[in-house]
Amino acid sequence: RAAGEPRPILFFAAASLQTALNAVAAEWQRETGKKVVFSYAASSVLARQMESGAPADLFASADLRWADWSQERKLIRPETRRNLLENRLVLIAAANSGDQIRIAPGFALAGAIGDSRLATGDPASVPAGTYAREALTKLGVWDQVSPRIASTENVRAALALVARGEARFGIVYATDAKAEPRVRVVDTFPAGSHAPIVYPFAVTTASTNPDAQVFLNYLASPTAVRIFEAEGFTLQRRGS
Amino acid sequence: MEWLPFSTAEWVAIRLSLRVATVAALTSLPLGILVAFVLARKRFPGKALVDAVVHLPLVLPPVVTGYILLMLFGRRAPIGAFLEQTLGIVFSFRWTGAALACAVMGFPLMVRAIRLTMEAIDPRHEQAAQTLGASPLWVFMTVTLPLAFPGVLAGIVLCFAKALGEFGATITFVANIPGETQTIPSAIYTYTQVPGGDEGALRLSVVAALISLCTLVVSELIARRTGRRGVNIE
Amino acid sequence: MEWLPFSTAEWVAIRLSLRVATVAALTSLPLGILVAFVLARKRFPGKALVDAVVHLPLVLPPVVTGYILLMLFGRRAPIGAFLEQTLGIVFSFRWTGAALACAVMGFPLMVRAIRLTMEAIDPRHEQAAQTLGASPLWVFMTVTLPLAFPGVLAGIVLCFAKALGEFGATITFVANIPGETQTIPSAIYTYTQVPGGDEGALRLSVVAALISLCTLVVSELIARRTGRRGVNIE
Amino acid sequence: MISFACKLARPGFDFDVTFQSNAGITALFGPSGAGKSTVIRLLAGLTRPDRGHISIADEVVLDTDRQCDVAPHKRRIGMVFQDAQLLPHLSVRANLGFGRWFTPRDLRRIGFDPVVEVLGIGHLLSRRPDSLSGGERQRVAIGRALLTSPRLLLLDEPLASLDEDRKLEILPFIEHMRDEFGIPTVYVSHAVEEVARLASRVVKIENGHVIATGTPAEVLAPTSLAKAAGRFDALSILSGRVSRYVEDYGVTIVDHPAGEIVVPGRIEPSANAVRVVIRATNVTLAIGRSENVSVRTVLAGRIAHIETDGGPFALATIELKGGEQLKAYATRLAVDRLGLDAGDHIQALVKAVAIDERGISGLHVVDQV
Amino acid sequence: MISFACKLARPGFDFDVTFQSNAGITALFGPSGAGKSTVIRLLAGLTRPDRGHISIADEVVLDTDRQCDVAPHKRRIGMVFQDAQLLPHLSVRANLGFGRWFTPRDLRRIGFDPVVEVLGIGHLLSRRPDSLSGGERQRVAIGRALLTSPRLLLLDEPLASLDEDRKLEILPFIEHMRDEFGIPTVYVSHAVEEVARLASRVVKIENGHVIATGTPAEVLAPTSLAKAAGRFDALSILSGRVSRYVEDYGVTIVDHPAGEIVVPGRIEPSANAVRVVIRATNVTLAIGRSENVSVRTVLAGRIAHIETDGGPFALATIELKGGEQLKAYATRLAVDRLGLDAGDHIQALVKAVAIDERGISGLHVVDQV
Ligand SMILES: Nc1ncnc2c1ncn2[C@@H]1O[C@H](COP(=O)(O)OP(=O)(O)OP(=O)(O)O)[C@@H](O)[C@H]1O
Ligand SMILES: Nc1ncnc2c1ncn2[C@@H]1O[C@H](COP(=O)(O)OP(=O)(O)OP(=O)(O)O)[C@@H](O)[C@H]1O
Ligand SMILES: [Mg+2]
Ligand SMILES: [Mg+2]
């Protein structure tokens, strides 16, 4: 880093946001000439690193709980926090499978799984899994389905299991399903079946970089929105 | 066992982990010994390649190893399908798959330990056995292997310990199904992913550490009884 | 190097990984040799405990090891703060921290390899050196260490290979900052986290595998030159 | 029948040894570094020559020209290494049993108990090799080799670090093996008496090449005045027939055409000739009868030849009655004073007590109780 | 001055050895498994006794009662192990230099080149121990020990696997060490002549206990009729003064009160007495003069005593003029035939050629060129 050059923003972001955020940052750099450096990892890891003094400027969590946890510890500035992005939960199957099933209360998911598995993030720890459990519970099929759950460390692993036919179905985010050609969306979970899937963004308490807030604002710019939507995210109404 | 501070799920994970680690360490042993012997004693073209393949699980991130396992031993995968049809062995989403993942991850460690002791054996011992009429196989069984015992023991311990801690490849290959594939490290990981899970993670970490301590003490005792010169045959 | 199919970020990760692995393997060597020697030759109360602590990084999920490092060597942590104030050494979110994490993760492997060869040394060689006037330190330097060279070499290789693949502890301890702490495995991880990243993950995995192949070939050549009986001193 | 011809080039050492022997025991004799152990290792198949042909009892075990190389474990040899080489992880008992175990049951001709007893290792059976003394280790190694009931026994200085008493117990046993089981043996030793007693053929090696082969008498008898130190290696071997055992005195009288040879101890009379090894330094020459000395063995002969040089010694070759030759060392001083010369008829006096039991085959020394 | 007293209990072996010696060379003598190497290891500090006290040259190196135990590397010993124990990762040169390197420069008294030359290992310097023959290895080990310029030399059967010629080159060198540098030496050997020649004190060990200590004459001379095999170990040691070297015949005449002893080779005349070792089996007894035999050494004496038993041998103790005793073996047969008895005046005939150079200190054998 040459002297005088402004220090780049260090952005701690959930790994699943990688493609979209990289594209936005590239756009921003083209416009402003300023760089953003990302450190992608699980939200939990990022939160703990901030706690132990990580020099991050921005934090994007894939998980409400870790955003709250960080806020409690005064690691992020509450006034800057906003749920910028929203995602949808979908039921997927391998692209070459013929399975057809409509999501509805009490739908016959367990029967459709048979002796195979339903792959999703770990309900106890991975947000996608948590949402999946919530939705299935609300639809009244969790008890039948839960013994057939294959929970994974992250959504990508669940995606791979379905793509390779190891698991017959999977529950993942719409964004993930969209990017993986070997899987097919069977149906989308109704919005009311689970809490909104949101991605909280915030400037960290430790940040001294004035660009942090600027870039956070840029993430809501039309350019950024276009990129996010292309990736399959839906945009939150401002400020909620 | 109610007086112990573990939930049922945790007990299940502990028991499963012990089973997976034991099976992983013991079933990979014969192949480990064989590969170690070949690498220690033979020269052949492509030896470096074999060596590299053995080391691969060490070099690649566990997640990648997990994917590779999935691509080879999954139900729909060539080897996996073959094994299921011929021998009825299924790895995917079974504890056997967890054991396979752990075995693969521990394999480089096991092979290296055994190989190192084999390389340290004075070849004159093997020559002496030869002159006494022992064929190469018998020399291997009665001299090389017993003298390499410290390495075999260390290999088992390393593989066992690795299996207690292995998580990336396991969870990628066979997911994290309580009672079937959720081992201690998977459970710990789950705890670390939720705020406030620290206490549970710590508890299980201590368990893992204690198990490995026991293993080490036992192996140390065995090693002391057998002595520097390998296992004593009567 | 434009003709090579790597992005600048990937090149940075590869170079960083090489640096981290080399530093990790070499700086942990002196302590590794010392600990291996103590475990191989001394008997003292609490030896099993030392042994267990050395094995801990193997037994605990890497994430836990990463957290422990964070709690010990982070900027706000006791040791980390002390080191920063006295020696100016900062680990947190620096490549040095990545090297520390890799060294810690590779330590059990290194210690075991060295220990195994040390245990295989015929104590009469050391006795002979003693009668020739070599003090214990000199015996160690001129006999034990040269004869344990195959183990030292293997220890370096194992630690290096492990450092090439280590990711859990690294990413947890020092995050995944390109150019500073993003090593090959972290970069692979990042690729695997998004759909369509497979190709990049594969590319980098092949690089890691090739680097380890080179290391193995080199170590094999060194081993062959020095021979079964360790390094030859003139 | 052993036929051996091997070439091997090592940096600074050029090995090219060829010999044949159908002796019971073939001795390899030569200075340190001559290549004796190399011959043994080649016979065992542990070293491969650059070029070579080896056959044992008419079976070709090595022929580099025909790509034939029988593996060591198939050669059915019993080998005693120069440095014992016991298997460190096995007890003494297991070491002894190791080779035996690989011997097909019907080929096991040598019993465990007698071997253990002769070698005096009964009290060591449950010990580990690490804890044995040097000599104990060597004895176990001998036992281990014998217990394989081998087709060929290779002994590389098996008795080097044993005391005289022990040697005298083990030597007859090795002879017994040779006689009873007809196991051909190749024996490396620096001790002349051992070689002379045991071997019927001696191959003398120096610097990787055979410099002499023949019967012990031919090879070991001094053909010329060797350098001074070598004279203790010089001996003559006389063949005689056991006449009788003199119970009262515990001595055996061996009939020889030149006179009676008195040998301490009992030799069983047999149809075979016995070999008596007489060191050239132990022969005293006398002119005329010498009744007044304490020497009972007096052999009549004629000096064939006296060789002298500038040194203190003279080597006399005596033609005994019956045709055998006896070599005798004397000082030149004594030769001159007695006026000895070729053609003189003389008496050769040999002290019975100086005849080494190691030099007589078939001898059982009668210990007083 | 060495003072040694150690106890050590091993399963089945009870070791309790006490001896003192201020001899230049102290020999340890005894059968295989007696505990000789154990004494050496205790002296070196490589084995710790259950209880013990060892002092070397007035420095206490071990005293279990006072918790004193000087580490092996501080004892400044030069040790030759029974099995060489060269460092496998070092070249021969580095092995030789290893101990030298740890010797402070001002204490280095022994030169590299002469050692290498005497041991005949010059051509091996760049080789690895692995590639040496048994005897070569042993020679390097001897050189390595000498080159530390030790305060105490411990030799455990250093010459066991060497040929006679080589032994005769190395022995004078060890004597030279003793004489020139005054390095006290403890020497383990099974060879009687070696012991008799080198040692001025012999400690005989059996089964972990000292059964005799004294001068070689006291310990090795047969005090009673030992079992038959032991008679080759029996010798007498006579002290005489060099009278002259007979240039013409290459022999030295040693004056002894009982007569002249003719010794082959040249001994430099000196004020000191020379020791001549005479094996009891090499002495022939004669009644009256025996001018007609090729023996020049004739010692006059009186039979003090003849011991016999049921066996073939008789052991005569002869009181020589001047008071020294000479032991002589004969067969009982010969004793009876000659009618020898205590009190008889006799002549003891000793063949010069049978006097082993190894048995005479200070002798330089004149090789003919
Ligand atoms: N691996 C090797 N490389 C080079 N030279 C060797 C090797 N092994 C043996 N030699 C040399 O070959 C020669 C013969 O060795 P060998 O062991 O046969 O001697 P030896 O007659 O048994 O001697 P000794 O009586 O001392 O045991 C020696 O000079 C030795 O140095
Ligand atoms: N570690 C041990 N454990 C038990 N017994 C031992 C141990 N080491 C040596 N011994 C015994 O102690 C006795 C003395 O051994 P030592 O090596 O001193 O004999 P030695 O007199 O040198 O014999 P040799 O002439 O055969 O070398 C032997 O009987 C041996 O078996
Ligand atoms: Mg040899
Ligand atoms: Mg000994």
Side-chain angles (χ1 to χ4, degrees):
Chain A
R1 222 175 277 150
E5 201 177 312
R7 203 171 61 82
I9 299 166
L10 181 54
F11 197 152
F12 273 25
S16 52
L17 294 170
Q18 188 187 347
T19 322
L21 285 181
N22 278 349
V24 176
E27 205 49 44
W28 193 59
Q29 186 173 5
R30 210 175 48 76
E31 286 177 23
T32 66
K34 288 176 181 171
K35 262 190 81 169
V36 185
V37 173
F38 290 95
S39 176
Y40 294 110
S43 308
S44 57
V45 169
L46 298 171
R48 279 192 227 267
Q49 286 171 342
M50 291 194 299
E51 191 193 17
S52 69
D57 296 306
L58 283 168
F59 176 47
S61 171
D63 189 340
L64 266 180
R65 294 170 303 183
W66 285 107
D68 295 342
W69 186 88
S70 304
Q71 191 167 342
E72 277 164 31
R73 283 164 180 72
K74 308 207 172 1
L75 301 174
I76 53 173
R77 300 180 188 164
E79 71 277 10
T80 64
R81 173 172 166 171
R82 53 167 103 162
N83 297 335
L84 261 180
L85 303 175
E86 188 174 343
N87 214 335
R88 297 297 299 272
L89 208 57
V90 295
L91 181 69
I92 56 166
N96 54 4
S97 85
D99 290 315
Q100 292 296 344
I101 190 167
R102 294 254 69 94
I103 296 174
F107 72 121
L109 181 57
I113 295 168
D115 68 347
S116 185
R117 294 276 173 179
L118 173 75
T120 184
D122 184 4
S125 57
V126 180
T130 315
Y131 292 122
R133 180 175 60 193
E134 189 187 346
L136 293 177
T137 306
K138 205 160 221 168
L139 295 167
V141 298
W142 174 250
D143 288 344
Q144 297 108 282
V145 171
S146 64
R148 308 304 316 160
I149 296 277
S151 42
T152 61
E153 177 203 356
N154 58 62
V155 178
R156 285 284 299 149
L159 210 54
L161 289 174
V162 176
R164 295 207 47 82
E166 294 298 326
R168 188 156 189 178
F169 294 103
I171 299 177
V172 299
Y173 295 134
T175 50
D176 295 313
K178 185 164 184 177
E180 174 59 73
R182 288 176 300 167
V183 301
R184 165 177 72 78
V185 174
V186 177
D187 199 4
T188 304
F189 282 88
S193 62
H194 54 83
I197 303 168
V198 291
Y199 293 80
F201 286 59
V203 177
T204 64
T205 320
S207 173
T208 54
N209 194 331
D211 290 335
Q213 185 64 52
V214 181
F215 185 64
L216 186 55
N217 294 339
Y218 183 76
L219 289 173
S221 70
T223 327
V225 166
R226 217 181 321 109
I227 292 169
F228 285 134
E229 279 176 342
E231 288 291 320
F233 289 102
T234 45
L235 267 290
Q236 272 275 311
R237 294 167 312 284
R238 240 195 113 91
S240 64
Chain B
M1 299 207 245
E2 263 98 56
W3 49 272
L4 278 171
F6 295 116
S7 68
T8 323
E10 285 169 355
W11 273 118
V12 170
I14 293 169
R15 281 218 306 277
L16 182 71
S17 231
L18 284 176
R19 173 151 42 127
V20 164
T22 310
V23 168
L26 295 184
T27 54
S28 60
L29 191 57
L31 188 64
I33 290 172
L34 186 71
V35 172
F37 179 73
V38 169
L39 289 176
R41 287 295 158 83
K42 308 287 174 193
R43 280 193 183 194
F44 52 93
K47 175 172 164 178
L49 215 66
V50 173
D51 202 11
V53 169
V54 169
H55 277 81
L56 222 47
L58 203 60
V59 174
L60 296 180
V63 180
V64 175
T65 308
Y67 277 125
I68 294 174
L69 286 176
L70 201 58
M71 277 154 51
L72 293 177
F73 292 97
R75 273 215 155 150
R76 301 280 167 80
I79 306 179
F82 173 79
L83 285 177
E84 182 170 359
Q85 271 151 39
T86 54
L87 302 173
I89 299 177
V90 178
F91 289 119
S92 69
F93 305 121
R94 297 281 166 81
W95 71 268
T96 46
L100 176 65
C102 290
V104 167
M105 292 299 286
F107 201 65
L109 315 185
M110 174 179 273
V111 167
R112 185 57 89 154
I114 300 174
R115 179 179 170 183
L116 271 175
T117 36
M118 280 188 177
E119 281 171 342
I121 295 174
D122 191 332
R124 288 178 304 174
H125 295 323
E126 286 159 340
Q127 291 181 356
Q130 273 184 297
T131 67
L132 291 166
S135 66
L137 183 65
W138 276 112
V139 170
F140 177 76
M141 300 294 290
T142 57
V143 179
T144 316
L145 201 51
L147 287 178
F149 182 75
V152 172
L153 190 64
I156 295 175
V157 167
L158 285 173
C159 189
F160 187 87
K162 178 76 208 168
L164 280 182
E166 210 302 302
F167 142 72
T170 309
I171 205 168
T172 309
F173 180 34
V174 291
N176 184 6
I177 303 165
E180 187 70 44
T181 64
Q182 185 174 63
T183 55
I184 295 179
S186 307
I188 293 177
Y189 176 76
T190 305
Y191 275 124
T192 62
Q193 291 302 299
V194 283
D198 294 5
E199 197 221 326
L202 184 68
R203 210 162 49 217
L204 285 179
S205 294
V206 170
V207 171
L210 285 180
I211 293 174
S212 93
L213 181 65
C214 291
T215 323
L216 287 168
V217 168
V218 170
S219 82
E220 204 67 31
L221 288 178
I222 298 174
R224 202 170 297 162
R225 285 201 49 174
T226 54
R228 185 176 65 82
R229 285 304 183 75
V231 77
N232 300 321
I233 300 178
E234 207 42 48
Chain C
M1 297 202 248
E2 262 99 56
W3 49 273
L4 277 171
F6 296 116
S7 68
T8 321
E10 285 169 352
W11 273 117
V12 170
I14 292 169
R15 280 218 308 276
L16 182 69
S17 233
L18 284 175
R19 174 154 39 131
V20 164
T22 309
V23 169
L26 295 185
T27 56
S28 60
L29 191 58
L31 188 64
I33 290 173
L34 185 72
V35 171
F37 179 73
V38 168
L39 288 176
R41 287 294 157 84
K42 307 287 174 192
R43 279 193 183 194
F44 52 91
K47 175 173 166 179
L49 214 67
V50 173
D51 202 10
V53 169
V54 169
H55 278 81
L56 221 48
L58 204 59
V59 174
L60 295 181
V63 180
V64 174
T65 308
Y67 281 135
I68 293 175
L69 287 175
L70 207 52
M71 277 154 50
L72 293 176
F73 292 95
R75 274 224 156 136
R76 313 242 173 102
I79 306 178
F82 174 80
L83 285 179
E84 181 169 358
Q85 273 151 36
T86 54
L87 301 176
I89 300 177
V90 178
F91 288 117
S92 66
F93 308 106
R94 297 279 170 81
W95 72 269
T96 48
L100 176 65
C102 290
V104 167
M105 293 300 286
F107 201 64
L109 315 185
M110 173 179 274
V111 167
R112 183 59 86 156
I114 301 173
R115 180 179 169 182
L116 272 174
T117 35
M118 282 192 178
E119 280 171 343
I121 295 174
D122 191 333
R124 287 178 305 175
H125 296 323
E126 286 159 340
Q127 290 180 356
Q130 271 184 299
T131 68
L132 292 167
S135 66
L137 182 65
W138 275 112
V139 170
F140 177 77
M141 299 295 289
T142 57
V143 179
T144 316
L145 201 51
L147 288 178
F149 182 75
V152 172
L153 190 64
I156 295 174
V157 168
L158 285 173
C159 188
F160 188 87
K162 178 76 207 165
L164 281 182
E166 210 301 304
F167 138 73
T170 310
I171 205 171
T172 309
F173 179 35
V174 291
N176 184 6
I177 305 167
E180 185 71 44
T181 63
Q182 187 174 65
T183 55
I184 296 178
S186 308
I188 294 176
Y189 167 80
T190 313
Y191 276 125
T192 62
Q193 289 307 296
V194 288
D198 292 5
E199 198 221 325
L202 183 68
R203 210 162 48 217
L204 285 179
S205 294
V206 169
V207 171
L210 286 180
I211 294 174
S212 92
L213 181 65
C214 291
T215 323
L216 287 168
V217 168
V218 170
S219 81
E220 205 69 29
L221 289 178
I222 298 175
R224 203 170 297 163
R225 284 201 51 171
T226 55
R228 186 177 64 83
R229 284 305 182 77
V231 77
N232 299 323
I233 301 177
E234 206 43 46
Chain D
M1 174 74 186
I2 300 165
S3 144
F4 180 100
C6 289
K7 284 185 191 196
L8 184 61
R10 282 178 184 146
F13 180 71
D14 179 40
F15 178 94
D16 183 356
V17 167
T18 305
F19 68 88
Q20 255 121 47
S21 170
N22 43 20
I25 297 186
T26 308
L28 294 179
F29 197 75
S32 167
K36 304 179 296 296
S37 300
T38 308
V39 172
I40 296 282
R41 291 181 59 88
L42 284 162
L43 280 167
L46 297 176
T47 300
R48 244 190 95 94
D50 298 335
R51 260 194 84 180
H53 180 102
I54 301 174
S55 68
I56 300 169
D58 295 331
E59 187 195 327
V60 176
V61 293
L62 178 89
D63 188 341
T64 46
D65 287 345
R66 295 215 195 93
Q67 310 297 331
C68 156
D69 187 1
V70 177
H73 70 279
K74 290 192 186 135
R75 294 196 182 185
R76 290 209 45 231
I77 43 165
M79 175 155 174
V80 176
F81 291 81
Q82 199 166 359
D83 47 354
Q85 292 294 350
L86 301 184
L87 293 170
H89 59 300
L90 300 179
S91 68
V92 168
R93 187 192 303 281
N95 262 289
L96 289 170
F98 192 90
R100 197 173 166 71
W101 201 81
F102 289 106
T103 311
R105 201 168 292 269
D106 52 319
L107 293 177
R108 290 184 200 166
R109 296 177 298 175
I110 297 171
F112 189 86
D113 294 338
V115 167
V116 166
E117 195 190 326
V118 168
L119 296 169
I121 49 179
H123 61 297
L124 305 173
L125 289 180
S126 55
R127 294 260 293 274
R128 308 251 144 236
D130 272 0
S131 77
L132 300 183
S133 83
E136 287 166 348
R137 222 169 290 166
Q138 228 170 357
R139 284 182 273 156
V140 174
I142 295 171
R144 183 175 73 167
L146 290 175
L147 285 171
T148 57
S149 307
R151 197 175 57 171
L152 173 66
L153 202 53
L154 303 173
L155 306 175
D156 198 349
E157 299 193 42
L159 308 181
S161 63
L162 293 178
D163 48 307
E164 293 287 320
D165 290 11
R166 198 49 87 180
K167 281 184 189 168
L168 284 174
E169 284 168 45
I170 297 176
L171 275 172
F173 196 69
I174 294 178
E175 284 186 307
H176 179 68
M177 294 292 128
R178 177 194 62 191
D179 299 339
E180 174 110 2
F181 301 112
I183 303 173
T185 300
V186 179
Y187 191 97
V188 175
S189 171
H190 290 303
V192 182
E193 274 100 351
E194 275 173 37
V195 169
R197 169 180 182 166
L198 292 171
S200 36
R201 193 163 192 84
V202 178
V203 179
K204 196 164 180 180
I205 302 180
E206 242 175 74
N207 216 350
H209 291 77
V210 174
I211 58 162
T213 73
T215 63
E218 285 161 10
V219 177
L220 301 175
T223 47
S224 76
L225 257 177
K227 44 180 198 158
R231 73 183 189 284
F232 290 100
D233 294 354
L235 12 96
S236 314
I237 297 168
L238 303 184
S239 292
R241 211 159 290 279
V242 173
S243 154
R244 62 188 184 281
Y245 175 59
V246 185
E247 188 81 45
D248 283 356
Y249 291 110
V251 294
T252 302
I253 310 294
V254 175
D255 264 347
H256 186 272
E260 289 186 342
I261 303 173
V262 179
V263 173
R266 159 181 246 140
I267 310 179
E268 294 305 326
S270 83
N272 297 329
V274 292
R275 289 195 286 155
V276 179
V277 179
I278 298 170
R279 281 187 183 235
T281 50
N282 279 340
V283 179
T284 302
L285 301 182
I287 300 173
R289 303 293 290 165
S290 12
E291 293 287 297
N292 64 334
V293 295
S294 64
V295 175
R296 290 300 100 191
T297 304
V298 180
L299 302 174
R302 202 181 56 87
I303 296 178
H305 175 74
I306 294 185
E307 191 191 343
T308 54
D309 56 16
F313 302 109
L315 174 61
T317 307
I318 297 150
E319 207 146 274
L320 294 178
K321 270 192 195 155
E324 285 190 309
Q325 286 200 338
L326 180 69
K327 300 277 180 172
Y329 264 115
T331 51
R332 255 191 317 126
L333 179 70
V335 170
D336 277 14
R337 293 287 148 84
L338 280 184
L340 296 177
D341 215 341
D344 289 2
H345 284 268
I346 49 91
Q347 308 280 352
L349 311 185
V350 183
K351 270 202 82 164
V353 290
I355 294 176
D356 194 332
E357 287 92 332
R358 284 184 292 177
I360 300 169
S361 51
L363 182 69
H364 301 278
V365 176
V366 186
D367 267 6
Q368 58 276 15
V369 201
Chain E
M1 172 76 185
I2 299 166
S3 144
F4 181 98
C6 289
K7 285 185 189 193
L8 184 61
R10 283 181 183 144
F13 179 72
D14 180 41
F15 179 92
D16 183 356
V17 166
T18 304
F19 68 88
Q20 256 122 45
S21 170
N22 44 20
I25 297 186
T26 308
L28 293 179
F29 197 74
S32 166
K36 305 180 294 299
S37 299
T38 308
V39 172
I40 297 283
R41 290 180 60 88
L42 284 162
L43 280 167
L46 298 176
T47 300
R48 243 190 95 92
D50 298 335
R51 262 195 83 182
H53 181 102
I54 301 174
S55 69
I56 300 169
D58 296 330
E59 187 195 325
V60 177
V61 293
L62 178 88
D63 188 339
T64 46
D65 289 345
R66 295 212 195 95
Q67 311 297 332
C68 155
D69 187 0
V70 177
H73 70 278
K74 291 193 186 135
R75 294 195 183 185
R76 291 208 45 230
I77 43 166
M79 177 157 174
V80 176
F81 291 80
Q82 201 167 357
D83 45 355
Q85 292 295 348
L86 302 184
L87 293 171
H89 59 301
L90 301 180
S91 69
V92 167
R93 187 191 301 280
N95 262 288
L96 289 171
F98 193 90
R100 197 175 167 73
W101 201 82
F102 289 106
T103 310
R105 200 167 292 270
D106 52 320
L107 294 177
R108 290 183 201 167
R109 295 177 298 175
I110 298 170
F112 190 84
D113 294 337
V115 167
V116 167
E117 193 189 328
V118 168
L119 296 169
I121 48 180
H123 60 297
L124 305 173
L125 288 180
S126 56
R127 294 260 292 273
R128 310 248 144 237
D130 273 1
S131 77
L132 300 184
S133 81
E136 288 166 346
R137 222 168 290 166
Q138 228 170 358
R139 285 181 274 156
V140 174
I142 295 172
R144 184 176 71 167
L146 290 175
L147 284 172
T148 58
S149 305
R151 199 176 54 172
L152 173 66
L153 202 53
L154 303 173
L155 307 175
D156 198 349
E157 299 193 41
L159 309 181
S161 61
L162 294 178
D163 49 308
E164 293 288 318
D165 289 10
R166 198 49 88 176
K167 282 183 190 169
L168 284 173
E169 283 168 45
I170 296 176
L171 274 172
F173 196 69
I174 293 178
E175 284 186 307
H176 179 69
M177 293 293 128
R178 179 194 62 189
D179 299 339
E180 173 110 2
F181 301 112
I183 304 173
T185 301
V186 178
Y187 192 95
V188 175
S189 171
H190 290 303
V192 181
E193 273 101 352
E194 274 172 37
V195 169
R197 169 180 183 167
L198 293 171
S200 37
R201 193 163 190 84
V202 178
V203 178
K204 196 165 181 181
I205 302 181
E206 242 175 73
N207 215 348
H209 290 77
V210 174
I211 58 162
T213 75
T215 62
E218 284 162 8
V219 176
L220 302 175
T223 47
S224 75
L225 257 176
K227 30 182 213 161
R231 74 182 188 282
F232 289 100
D233 295 354
L235 14 98
S236 312
I237 297 168
L238 303 184
S239 291
R241 211 160 289 279
V242 173
S243 154
R244 62 187 184 281
Y245 175 60
V246 184
E247 189 82 43
D248 283 356
Y249 290 109
V251 295
T252 302
I253 309 295
V254 176
D255 263 346
H256 187 271
E260 289 186 343
I261 303 173
V262 179
V263 173
R266 162 182 241 138
I267 311 179
E268 293 305 324
S270 83
N272 298 328
V274 291
R275 289 194 288 155
V276 179
V277 180
I278 299 170
R279 282 188 183 235
T281 49
N282 279 341
V283 179
T284 302
L285 300 184
I287 300 174
R289 303 291 289 164
S290 12
E291 295 285 300
N292 64 335
V293 295
S294 65
V295 174
R296 291 297 101 191
T297 304
V298 181
L299 301 173
R302 202 180 56 86
I303 297 178
H305 173 75
I306 295 185
E307 193 190 342
T308 53
D309 58 13
F313 302 109
L315 174 61
T317 307
I318 297 149
E319 207 147 275
L320 294 178
K321 270 192 196 156
E324 282 189 310
Q325 287 199 336
L326 180 69
K327 301 278 181 173
Y329 264 113
T331 50
R332 252 187 325 122
L333 179 71
V335 169
D336 276 13
R337 292 285 151 85
L338 280 185
L340 295 176
D341 214 340
D344 289 0
H345 284 269
I346 50 89
Q347 308 280 353
L349 312 185
V350 183
K351 271 201 81 165
V353 289
I355 294 176
D356 194 332
E357 287 91 334
R358 284 184 293 175
I360 299 168
S361 51
L363 182 68
H364 302 278
V365 177
V366 186
D367 267 7
Q368 58 277 17
V369 200

